[in-house]
Amino acid sequence: MPRPARPGQQRAMERAQRMLSRRRAETGRRASGAQRGNADGEGQAAPPVSRRPRFDGPVIDVRDVRKIYRIGDIAVHALRGVTLQIDRGEFVAIMGASGSGKSTLMNILGCLDTPTRGTYRINGMDVRGVDEDDLADLRNRYIGFVFQSFNLIPRTRAIANVELPLSYAGLHRSARQARAMAALDSVGLTDRAHHLPSELSGGQQQRVAVARALVTNPAMILADEPTGNLDTRSTSEVLSIFDRLSSQGRTIILITHEEEVAHHARRIIRIRDGHIISDERPEVRTALA
C-alpha cells in the first residue's frame, strides 16, 4: 500500500483538490460565456503559461542551509550546513537512511519547506521570505513532482490528473488536454488516458504521475522514492523513463535509499545526520536485473 503523504505533500494535495473543484466550476461558467462571446464576436483566448527568461546558472544552488525544528524546548537539527549545486541537465540521486535529513532536504528543494538559515535559489530565484502562495507558484512553474504514493486524485481520470498543473496556470482547456495527451504519450499511456487511478496498476499510476510532472516542462523533476511501492518490472519501466528523460537533457533529482536505483543517476550525494558525507559520480551505471 502507498505510504501516507507527508505534511507538505498533503497540503499540496489539498490545494490541488480545491483547485480542481474550482476549475470544474469555472469550466462550466466559461463554456456559457464562450457561447455568449461567440455570438457577440467577443470570445478571447486564455493566456499562455507564464515563463521567466531562461536562467543559465545552476538549477539548484544551496548555500549553508540549516533546518531546525522545535518540539517544545527541544531543537532538532535536521540539516547542518548543507551546500550543493545541481546544474541543468544533471541526473542526481540523493541517498540517506531514515533520520539522515534526506526528506528535509527534499522538502526544501521542492519548496515544500524553507530553510531556518542559509540560502536556496531555484533557477536563480531566492526562496527566502517567499509566502505560501508564491511558493505554490514556484512549485508549479519550476518543479515536477513524482512521489512514492503517486498522489493522484481519486475519481479523476488520468488525463485530468495530468492536466492539473496547467489548470493553475490558467491554460485553456483544449490546450491543457493536448499537452496532457502528449505527456501521457511520452510515458506510453495514451490508451489509459480516460481510466481512473483505481483502474490502473501501481506502475501505470506512477507513469501518470511522471506525465503530470512533465506537462509544464519544469526546470527539474523531483522524484521522492518513486519506485518504493513498485514491483521489479514496474520499477524497471519507471527508471527507464527517467533514463530517457536524462538523455534528453532533463534535470532529475531522485531521492532513494536503494543502491540499484541510485546507480541509474550520474551523480550520487549521500547525507547523514544532516551533513553531506559524499558527492560522487559513478563511472558505471547499474541496470536492474
Side-chain angles (χ1 to χ4, degrees), residues 115-127:
T116 303
R117 291 201 294 274
T119 61
Y120 170 40
R121 290 181 173 85
I122 176 170
N123 224 35
M125 179 176 289
D126 194 335
V127 304

Side-chain angles (χ1 to χ4, degrees), residues 17-269:
Q17 289 172 323
R18 290 195 300 270
M19 174 63 75
L20 185 62
S21 297
R22 288 199 297 270
R23 284 296 174 189
R24 283 170 171 166
E26 289 169 7
T27 297
R29 292 195 298 270
R30 191 180 295 120
S32 298
Q35 291 175 355
R36 292 193 299 271
N38 289 338
D40 297 336
E42 297 176 353
Q44 296 181 354
V49 176
S50 175
R51 280 284 179 266
R52 293 181 65 200
R54 180 184 173 92
F55 176 67
D56 291 328
V59 175
I60 295 295
D61 188 1
V62 174
R63 303 291 178 96
D64 194 29
V65 161
R66 300 169 187 270
K67 184 64 180 181
I68 303 171
Y69 296 102
R70 296 199 174 274
I71 305 174
D73 295 331
I74 300 173
V76 178
H77 294 260
L79 294 177
R80 301 170 181 264
V82 169
T83 295
L84 68 92
Q85 290 185 334
I86 297 176
D87 292 326
R88 195 174 307 278
E90 281 200 273
F91 187 177
V92 180
I94 298 177
M95 297 193 69
S98 177
S100 64
K102 174 184 80 228
S103 296
T104 300
L105 180 58
M106 186 218 73
N107 284 338
I108 289 174
L109 296 182
C111 295
L112 295 168
D113 202 350
T114 54
T116 303
R117 291 201 294 274
T119 61
Y120 170 40
R121 290 181 173 85
I122 176 170
N123 224 35
M125 179 176 289
D126 194 335
V127 304
R128 286 179 299 181
V130 176
D131 64 26
E132 179 56 36
D133 286 342
D134 287 337
L135 279 178
D137 182 59
L138 274 175
R139 290 193 293 267
N140 192 54
R141 293 169 63 190
Y142 295 137
I143 306 170
F145 288 99
V146 182
F147 295 115
Q148 177 178 346
S149 51
F150 316 142
N151 284 7
L152 301 181
I153 298 177
R155 299 182 297 280
T156 300
R157 300 191 185 281
I159 188 169
N161 268 287
V162 176
E163 285 180 38
L164 189 61
L166 301 175
S167 296
Y168 286 116
L171 206 64
H172 192 275
R173 183 180 181 184
S174 60
R176 294 200 310 265
Q177 290 181 336
R179 289 174 61 166
M181 285 300 292
L184 285 168
D185 182 57
S186 73
V187 298
L189 282 180
T190 52
D191 60 335
R192 298 290 189 270
H194 298 286
H195 285 59
L196 299 173
S198 60
E199 298 170 335
L200 302 173
S201 69
Q204 289 170 338
Q205 289 185 61
Q206 194 61 292
R207 285 155 64 191
V208 171
V210 173
R212 181 182 58 195
L214 292 172
V215 76
T216 59
N217 192 28
M220 68 171 178
I221 303 294
L222 182 58
D224 177 25
E225 300 279 6
T227 61
N229 288 329
L230 304 182
D231 59 24
T232 301
R233 178 178 177 181
S234 296
T235 292
S236 181
E237 290 174 349
V238 169
L239 289 176
S240 70
I241 292 172
F242 286 134
D243 290 340
R244 175 167 50 82
L245 293 173
S246 175
S247 70
Q248 294 170 354
R250 296 274 186 177
T251 306
I252 301 172
I253 302 174
L254 179 67
I255 312 296
T256 185
H257 66 278
E258 299 179 73
E259 289 285 347
E260 296 90 345
V261 172
H263 278 79
H264 276 253
R266 296 186 175 92
R267 178 182 173 191
I268 300 176
I269 296 171

